[in-house]
Amino acid sequence: MRRRPNYLAGVGSTVWLFVVGLPLYVMLAATLRTRSDYAENGPVSVPDAFTLDNYFGAFDANFGQYFLNTIAVTVAVVALVLVLVPPLSFAIVRSRSKVTSLVFRLFLLGLAIPAQAVIVPMFYLISEAGLYDNLLGVILPTAAFCLPMSALILSGAMRDISPELFEAMAVDGATPRRMFFQLVVPLSRGGLSTITVFSALQAWNGFLFPLVLTQSDSTKVITLGLYNFQTEHGIDIPGLLGAVMLSMIPVLLVYLFARRALVQGLMGVGGK
Amino acid sequence: MTTQITSTPPTARFRKEASRWPAGSHAADVGRPSFGWALPAALFFTLFAIVPLVMVAVLSFMSWNGLGSPQFVGMDNWSRLVDDPVMLKSIWTTLLLTALGILIQTPLSIVLGAWAAGHQRNRAVLSAVYFVPLLLSATAVSVLWRALLDPNFGIPADAHWLFGDGNLFGKQATAIGVLAFVSTWQFTPFHTLIYQGAARAIPQVLYQAAEIDGAGRYRQFFHITLPQLRNSMITSMILMTVGGLTTFETVLILTQGGPGTDTTISAYYMYEKAFKGFDFGTGSAIALTLVVASTVISLIVVRVSGYDKMRSSMEGVA
């Protein structure tokens, strides 16, 4: 209905496009040029030679291992979230028990707990459990901290299932178990993909738990690899940015395929 | 698919359903899951989030160096923190950075969000690019900007007219400026998205009516869009506050709390105390102040954003 073009907003949004896009371009360009080219001609110049060495360099710095570790953590976290959250959300939406209502409140409260707040006792617990410097010790707390938001997103999606469908199944004598697998899970596929993407992103980008709960190279994840690469090779900026770029590629691929689920899920956080 | 978790669920249809069966009748509970369905997740969450939360409170009254067993020391950690100038300074720095974030990002993301909610043809492409920083880990973002702003090899070395001597990390004002800029760069897209969603939900009739009354675009923005975004503004600002309180990687990677202790925010100070100074008791005390601050704020979120309305309109939950 707004027919006249909004020039001011158009200019503003273009300016912001540059603020967001330019650093991303500089990074991409820097990763494709030699270190000497970058040092001599500066970050904003056009590359005069093309090379993939910066990416290979990251692999020489053990990034292959970090990748595998991060994939293991991400897959395990997503699996835990997908096993724990759907039954929880089903109960939140359909159960009439007072206990469920208490559990729901617990998760609402859980939204408020930042990882920094529990990192000291987490270090204590994980060490006591003998899981220090073990990927499992990273997976468990990371998954736990994905639960509150995933539960909110998924129960929001399950609420949209029409009660008439549940009634019809109840008339047919269906158990909760059958309703869950034949009705709830198929009809909340959208919500399930949102929480999958959401928790995968959390696990992939996680930093604090791995920083505090792991130590050796064999358990390092990619964010820690980046952090260490920076402290050790801080001057090799194209190499460093090559490592940053590598750490993002899987996420960008997921974004290309699951953009809608991700944007919708994050929009839901703000609500009306 | 709707994942607007804060939107009010259709209460009416639940009431209709509930009235079909008298309260307490068995028929109403046929096929309903018992609380057992919620238990695995609840137990897991209790073990890995609630138990540590309780423990952080206990540890704040103990002395522990990471080895051996913690010793009870009463208020020692707390009384030392109250007298610690770095702690006080870190609280101010945290608040300053949080306030800067809110003041810069709120107007920016409202304008961008309101614009992105419109029907411009290039909107989809632009929003796709805007979104990218949100996908990157705080680590990647911080490493990227650390490299781009490097005094010797980064953009400042090329643009002395803009950056002076180029050492942005060496002075308090510019170091704080860099931190505020980097979190703006990373999180403005998220808040833009919140406002975009909310702006789309504004009934078009309001604009049509305003148009008939002869209100121009800017009048419409200030008299319709902005008031209608009020709830989102509150939600978004609260999320910014919680995010500001818990910023960590950005400081660790970009400034290491420096120069001196000029950018040592509380979360970073907690990390330094606990995991570099092996004073886990004091670290816990700092962590507990963070918990209290972010819980208070989140209770406000729950109140204001309608998360609690969602609970009260849940069927069957009195």
Side-chain angles (χ1 to χ4, degrees):
Chain A
M1 62 152 284
R2 301 181 185 181
R3 271 140 288 141
R4 285 172 304 128
N6 188 345
Y7 293 111
L8 194 64
V11 170
S13 55
T14 314
V15 169
W16 186 248
L17 183 71
F18 275 101
V19 174
V20 172
L22 199 63
L24 295 172
Y25 162 75
V26 170
M27 169 167 65
L28 181 64
T31 61
L32 297 174
R33 51 208 281 196
T34 61
R35 199 172 149 185
S36 57
D37 172 20
Y38 184 89
E40 278 157 31
N41 301 321
V44 231
S45 62
V46 181
D48 65 359
F50 176 86
T51 172
L52 284 176
D53 282 352
N54 297 309
Y55 291 92
F56 293 122
F59 277 99
D60 289 339
N62 220 0
F63 266 74
Q65 172 77 51
Y66 306 158
F67 251 97
L68 291 179
N69 290 339
T70 313
I71 289 169
V73 169
T74 303
V75 169
V77 166
V78 169
L80 270 170
V81 167
L82 286 182
V83 165
L84 292 171
V85 174
L88 169 73
S89 303
F90 179 44
I92 288 175
V93 173
R94 293 290 298 173
S95 167
R96 297 197 159 177
S97 161
K98 287 240 158 58
V99 181
T100 315
S101 145
L102 276 177
V103 168
F104 186 54
R105 273 172 234 206
L106 180 80
F107 279 98
L108 286 181
L109 181 78
L111 279 177
I113 308 175
Q116 283 96 338
V118 298
I119 193 66
V120 172
M122 195 67 80
F123 173 69
Y124 180 79
L125 280 174
I126 293 291
S127 311
E128 287 292 301
L131 292 175
Y132 180 73
D133 205 20
N134 181 326
L135 285 181
L136 194 58
V138 174
I139 291 164
L140 297 172
T142 306
F145 275 77
C146 287
L147 292 185
M149 192 51 90
S150 305
L152 277 171
I153 292 172
L154 193 61
S155 45
M158 285 184 184
R159 255 190 203 96
D160 291 338
I161 300 172
S162 153
E164 280 78 15
L165 292 172
F166 287 103
E167 285 168 36
M169 286 191 82
V171 169
D172 289 343
T175 58
R177 207 185 139 90
R178 240 188 89 195
M179 288 184 183
F180 179 73
F181 285 109
Q182 295 190 350
L183 180 68
V184 175
V185 169
L187 286 185
S188 44
R189 262 177 314 202
L192 288 170
S193 57
T194 304
I195 65 169
T196 303
V197 174
F198 167 80
S199 47
L201 205 57
Q202 291 282 102
W204 191 271
N205 289 340
F207 180 77
L208 189 64
F209 288 134
L211 174 71
V212 170
L213 303 174
T214 64
Q215 190 178 31
S216 45
D217 233 28
S218 61
T219 53
K220 214 163 263 170
V221 293
I222 207 153
T223 47
L224 274 194
L226 275 184
Y227 174 56
N228 285 7
F229 198 91
Q230 189 211 233
T231 27
E232 284 158 28
H233 310 256
I235 318 166
D236 177 13
I237 289 181
L240 186 61
L241 293 177
V244 173
M245 203 54 205
L246 269 184
S247 78
M248 294 164 37
I249 287 171
V251 178
L252 292 177
L253 286 179
V254 171
Y255 177 53
L256 283 181
F257 290 108
R259 180 172 137 72
R260 187 162 288 268
L262 191 62
V263 174
Q264 292 267 323
L266 286 171
M267 257 183 170
V269 174
K272 186 176 138 32
Chain B
M1 181 197 71
T2 308
T3 45
Q4 295 242 336
I5 51 181
T6 57
S7 65
T8 317
T11 329
R13 83 180 179 210
F14 292 144
R15 282 211 198 96
K16 191 184 89 196
E17 189 201 11
S19 67
R20 200 166 300 169
W21 290 291
S25 102
H26 179 66
D29 288 330
V30 168
R32 285 188 183 273
S34 70
F35 65 83
W37 288 75
L39 280 192
L43 292 177
F44 188 81
F45 188 68
T46 303
L47 188 59
F48 289 101
I50 306 295
V51 168
L53 192 62
V54 174
M55 280 176 69
V56 84
V58 177
L59 278 171
S60 76
F61 299 102
M62 298 187 130
S63 161
W64 185 45
N65 62 6
L67 301 164
S69 42
Q71 301 292 318
F72 184 78
V73 291
M75 297 297 291
D76 274 17
N77 299 325
W78 289 98
S79 55
R80 251 184 298 121
L81 269 188
V82 173
D83 294 330
D84 182 352
V86 182
M87 179 65 190
L88 292 181
K89 191 177 172 189
S90 81
I91 292 174
W92 281 116
T93 315
T94 309
L95 294 177
L96 173 67
L97 269 172
T98 309
L100 272 179
I102 292 175
L103 289 176
I104 301 170
Q105 291 178 50
T106 302
L108 191 62
S109 48
I110 288 179
V111 172
L112 287 170
W115 177 81
H119 300 282
Q120 293 85 350
R121 241 173 307 135
N122 46 0
R123 177 179 49 79
V125 181
L126 289 180
S127 323
V129 177
Y130 289 165
F131 199 82
V132 171
L134 208 53
L135 300 169
L136 311 188
S137 58
T139 320
V141 169
S142 308
V143 170
L144 170 63
W145 280 103
R146 174 84 222 190
L148 292 181
L149 296 177
D150 187 281
N152 300 312
F153 306 100
I155 298 170
D158 268 8
H160 287 293
W161 54 273
L162 184 58
F163 295 101
D165 70 352
N167 189 2
L168 298 177
F169 300 104
K171 288 184 294 287
Q172 178 174 29
T174 47
I176 286 185
V178 166
L179 291 175
F181 171 79
V182 170
S183 42
T184 300
W185 189 82
Q186 188 180 15
F187 292 114
T188 299
F190 173 69
H191 297 281
T192 300
L193 205 62
I194 290 181
Y195 288 118
Q196 185 186 343
R200 283 233 178 101
I202 300 174
Q204 285 296 313
V205 286
L206 293 179
Y207 293 105
Q208 284 152 7
E211 203 122 298
I212 291 165
D213 290 345
R217 172 173 291 120
Y218 298 103
R219 264 189 89 109
Q220 290 182 20
F221 178 78
F222 284 107
H223 291 273
I224 301 173
T225 313
L226 219 47
Q228 292 279 326
L229 293 179
R230 219 191 72 232
N231 283 342
S232 312
M233 275 167 72
I234 295 166
T235 311
S236 149
M237 284 184 192
I238 291 166
L239 290 173
M240 285 177 193
T241 312
V242 174
L245 290 183
T246 56
T247 308
F248 176 71
E249 288 102 312
T250 326
V251 170
L252 176 71
I253 292 167
L254 282 166
T255 67
Q256 302 263 324
T261 54
D262 284 346
T263 57
T264 301
I265 57 167
S266 300
Y268 183 74
Y269 193 47
M270 182 270 295
Y271 172 77
E272 267 198 341
K273 277 276 175 201
F275 294 97
K276 286 187 173 165
F278 300 105
D279 181 354
F280 289 92
T282 308
S284 297
I286 304 174
L288 195 59
T289 52
L290 283 175
V291 178
V292 171
S294 91
T295 309
V296 168
I297 292 162
S298 303
L299 285 177
I300 303 171
V301 180
V302 169
R303 258 284 139 74
V304 174
S305 68
Y307 283 155
D308 62 337
K309 261 181 261 146
M310 180 164 114
R311 187 196 67 223
S312 61
S313 56
M314 264 167 59
E315 48 170 337
V317 177

